[in-house]
Structures are given as structure tokens and as C-alpha cells.
Amino acid sequence: MIMSLTPFTKQQLLPQEEKLEVYRHKSELFIGIPKETSYQERRICLTPDAVNSLTSHGHKVMIESGAGLSSSYTDKEFSDAGATITKDTKKVFSCPMLLKVEPLTMEEIAFVNNNAIVISAIQLKTRKKEYFEALTKKKVTALAFEYIKDEDGSYPAVKSLSEIAGTASVLIAAELMINNQFGKGLLLGNITGVPPTDVVILGAGTVGEFAAKTALGLGASVKVFDNSITKLRRLQNNLNQRIFTSTIQPKSLLKALRRCDVAIGAMRGKERCPVVVTETMVEHMKKGAVIVDVSIDTGGCFETSEVTTHENPTFIKNNIIHYCVPNIPSRYSKTASLSISNIITPYLLQIAEDGGIESAIRCNKGLKNGVYLYHGILTNKAIGDWFNLPDNDINLIVF
């Protein structure tokens, strides 16, 4: 019997084919930014600095004239940063890649070229089935800000806009409390010898956390209610101080609402935000107290909430001032634009570096998560279930 002198099998000793890495070619992007036409939308996806960063990498950016005005950016600033400015809306929509804050309208989809790439918010609650069908016909690849994930599994765009909404909710309440016609003329702060203002926050997510940070920074006394102990624990750790936290129990919530000067709704629900405060509870609140319902985007968590606009933001019901404007970040359009721009620019540079959207979503899981239409194929199960549309797993299409 011949002893084998090699540890390898006969199969392993046969010449193997060598696998070489496929060389990635950088691609040039041609980005179009149309003017926002949606009601009350004042933000823009890229700031002049971000445009400068893209153009200096050899990419082209075309912006519709006046697109940045409501965020306090002039056409000249964009032009100096290297963008092409045009008044021709159709020309902007014919760019291979489109950036928008709000989702496209049906009229705008008609202008879009086949196989275009669209990056915008999706706002699923306000979409209709026709929207996805129209994009599918055009074989569009679409990404949603809300679905793009970071390395740590969080959603950077949602988080960042929630931070703005949370901080803003307290500042808005502070303004409304000095409202001469009906406000209580109270200063939201802690003045020596004067009892601090009482703020009740419903929800301990990002909005709730930043509302609490701002209120505490101004010296108010803060109470946070949420049904998730984990969220409440995280909130206390992030605030670096012990504050009143409680699960939502009608008795303790009513007690807190009766005493508070400001109540902020920052709850989130799977499909609709749960209504936690009934009209009877609101009736028990102090006259002239302020309710800021940030969750109005998904229906509101106060039974008395009704959608208002940035132009007429408040109404008075049961002697309580209600502020129920959806899309609060749009009120702080420049800050919100900077925030969106800083999140999206690195992704755009990454897409170009990887050689286009196809290879970028192969390399970047977080970006892949943002894709809900790939060349007209619906790849998001939640959307498929919601609108009863056939969907495919993106991992079976792109690998």
C-alpha cells in the first residue's frame, strides 16, 4: 500500500481557477433638484456646500431656479458652488438622478425619464397605489430617506428630523405661553423664587428625548410617560439625570396633565399613533395650557387634536391652546435642509465611488435597505402588503 505524501486530496491538487476582484469604475453623477411644490414644504436636499463638494468630485448638479429660496439659499450661492441653474422644470426632471424632499407628484412622475434614480421621502401614509404603479411603468429605482439605515441599525434621516421636531416642540410651546390674547404669560424657565413650569411629554423616543433635553435646559420640571420601560431607561441615561418617568396609566397621567402648563405628544404607532389623552382629560387641564402634538403626522395622540397649518398653527379647544402642525422641521427649513444634506451627501459620494447605484447597494446594506423600487420592481414588503402589490426580496435581485 502506497502512503500518500500529501495532505491534499486529488481534487485539491488539480489547477484551480483564480478569482480576481472586479475593478470598480467610478461613475459620474448627474443630479437634478426640482423646486418643492408640496404644500408647506420649505426644505431642499442639498446645501450650496454639499453641491460644491459634489461638483469638485466631477459630478453635475442641476437646480431649478428658486428651489433654495425658502431655505434662505439663493440661486447665486448654488451657481457659485458649481450647480447649473435653470427655469425649465422639465429639464431638471430629465436628469438621471433626482433628489427631492417630498415624494414626486403624479404630474412630476410624467416628466421623469425611464430608468431614473429617485431619492426622496416616501411618507407612506399619504401615498396611493397609483404612485407606485406610475414609477413601476417608468422602471424607476427609488430610495426613501426614511428607510436608509446607518451602520448601527438606526435610521439617520428620521432620527435627525425627530431631533429637530423634539427641540422645536418646546420652543414653540414657550412662544405660545406668552400669547397675549390667550396665553398665560408664563416664562418657560426656572426663575429663583418662582415654581418651575411643568412639562408633560408623552413618548420616550427621539422626539421625546430632545423635547425633554430642551425643557430641562430651560429649567422646566419634566415628566415623561411611555409604555416601554427600555425607552424610559435609555432616555434617563441619555439625559444624565433622574427625571419623573412613568408608564401610561390613566390615573397618574391625568394627575400630571391637571398640573402641567405644557403637554407634548411624541408617541409613535405601527400604523396610526395611539390616542392616549381623551377629551375628558383635556377638559381637566389648566385654562391657557399648551398642547403641542408632534405625532399629528400619524394621527395625533390627543383626542382633541386637528391638523393645522404653518400659517394658522393653533386653535383653542376646551380653553387649551392646541398646536397641531404636521412636518414641524419645515418651519426650521435651513436647519432641516442642512441636516438632510449632511446625511445624504456622503451616500451620493459613495454611490459614485462604487460605480453607480447597482454596485453601491451591493456594497452598502444600509443603502440597500433604502431601496423600495429597483428598476420598477417593488422590493419593500411593507409597501407590498399595505397596497396589495406584488413584491420581491431585493437580496434575490441584487447580490
Side-chain angles (χ1 to χ4, degrees):
M1 187 180 146
I2 304 159
M3 286 290 288
S4 172
L5 299 172
T6 167
F8 300 105
T9 63
K10 194 176 175 188
Q11 192 63 38
Q12 284 169 325
L13 287 168
L14 287 172
Q16 306 285 314
E17 62 181 279
E18 188 183 359
K19 292 185 174 71
L20 290 171
E21 184 188 1
V22 178
Y23 181 67
R24 283 190 231 163
H25 293 282
K26 288 186 184 177
S27 72
E28 278 185 14
L29 303 178
F30 190 176
I31 302 166
I33 302 182
K35 205 171 174 175
E36 294 294 334
T37 52
S38 304
Y39 182 56
Q40 293 193 340
E41 187 49 74
R42 303 187 177 126
R43 297 168 291 178
I44 188 167
C45 287
L46 295 180
T47 61
D49 287 349
V51 170
N52 191 16
S53 167
L54 288 161
T55 52
S56 58
H57 277 82
H59 307 303
K60 291 183 195 154
V61 181
M62 184 181 279
I63 298 178
E64 189 178 345
S65 178
L69 286 177
S70 49
S71 305
S72 318
Y73 293 119
T74 61
D75 287 350
K76 186 180 185 309
E77 285 176 88
F78 281 115
S79 172
D80 292 347
T84 311
I85 309 292
T86 175
K87 284 195 165 73
D88 187 346
T89 312
K90 287 184 182 174
K91 200 172 172 187
V92 179
F93 278 104
S94 66
C95 292
M97 184 186 259
L98 288 171
L99 281 188
K100 255 182 125 282
V101 179
E102 292 276 320
L104 293 167
T105 62
M106 296 307 281
E107 296 78 55
E108 288 168 344
I109 294 175
F111 299 150
V112 175
N113 282 350
N114 287 349
N115 292 311
I117 298 163
V118 177
I119 305 177
S120 72
I122 186 172
Q123 295 166 353
L124 200 52
K125 306 283 180 295
T126 57
R127 294 301 93 215
K128 290 193 170 75
K129 196 173 180 175
E130 297 81 70
Y131 169 79
F132 299 101
E133 287 168 345
L135 287 176
T136 301
K137 267 188 198 143
K138 293 262 180 171
K139 294 199 167 23
V140 162
T141 299
L143 286 85
F145 292 146
E146 295 101 313
Y147 298 152
I148 295 175
K149 269 189 182 173
D150 232 335
E151 296 89 48
D152 63 350
S154 65
Y155 297 92
V158 178
K159 214 174 181 140
S160 172
L161 294 171
S162 298
E163 289 174 5
I164 294 173
T167 306
S169 63
V170 175
L171 302 177
I172 288 165
E175 269 171 56
L176 296 175
M177 277 163 57
I178 50 170
N179 179 345
N180 298 334
Q181 289 84 33
F182 199 78
K184 300 168 75 171
L186 273 176
L187 174 69
L188 193 108
N190 194 346
I191 306 304
T192 315
V194 179
T197 322
D198 256 333
V199 177
V200 167
I201 298 168
L202 304 168
T206 310
V207 177
E209 182 190 322
F210 275 76
K213 268 185 185 162
T214 311
L216 289 167
L218 291 169
S221 152
V222 176
K223 292 181 174 148
V224 182
F225 290 83
D226 195 302
N227 273 337
S228 158
I229 297 289
T230 315
K231 278 186 179 176
L232 290 170
R233 185 176 292 122
R234 192 188 64 210
L235 177 101
Q236 284 209 333
N237 290 338
N238 290 353
L239 291 176
N240 290 327
Q241 69 186 83
R242 295 276 159 227
I243 57 164
F244 176 101
T245 52
S246 166
T247 49
I248 300 169
Q249 291 151 356
K251 202 174 171 187
S252 56
L253 180 58
L254 181 60
K255 190 177 169 188
L257 287 170
R258 285 175 107 146
R259 294 180 180 174
C260 80
D261 303 293
V262 175
I264 292 168
M267 301 286 292
R268 278 187 68 188
K270 201 69 188 209
E271 281 166 17
R272 190 207 184 282
C273 159
V275 174
V276 196
V277 179
T278 61
E279 186 156 359
T280 324
M281 285 176 162
V282 175
E283 283 167 7
H284 280 95
M285 287 172 74
K286 287 186 202 167
K287 180 178 185 240
V290 173
I291 285 177
V292 179
D293 200 344
V294 186
S295 7
I296 196 74
D297 287 302
T298 53
C301 58
F302 291 85
E303 199 183 351
T304 48
S305 293
E306 290 164 23
V307 179
T308 57
T309 65
H310 283 297
E311 286 72 39
N312 298 310
T314 57
F315 64 90
I316 292 164
K317 202 169 188 178
N318 303 325
N319 288 327
I320 308 293
I321 303 169
H322 290 65
Y323 180 98
C324 308
V325 180
N327 193 1
I328 289 176
S330 188
R331 175 185 168 126
Y332 302 92
S333 54
K334 193 160 193 171
T335 303
S337 299
L338 276 161
S339 177
I340 295 170
S341 179
N342 290 344
I343 289 164
I344 200 150
T345 312
Y347 282 114
L348 293 173
L349 293 170
Q350 191 60 51
I351 289 170
E353 196 68 30
D354 290 339
I357 194 85
E358 269 83 3
S359 35
I361 54 183
R362 279 192 190 95
C363 309
N364 188 323
K365 263 191 180 157
L367 201 61
K368 187 193 275 185
N369 201 64
V371 179
Y372 63 91
L373 275 173
Y374 182 77
H375 291 297
I377 303 165
L378 185 67
T379 57
N380 185 298
K381 195 171 181 343
I383 297 174
D385 295 346
W386 185 271
F387 293 101
N388 198 15
L389 289 162
D391 59 90
N392 294 273
D393 187 345
I394 189 160
N395 296 308
L396 300 176
I397 308 169
V398 179
F399 39 75

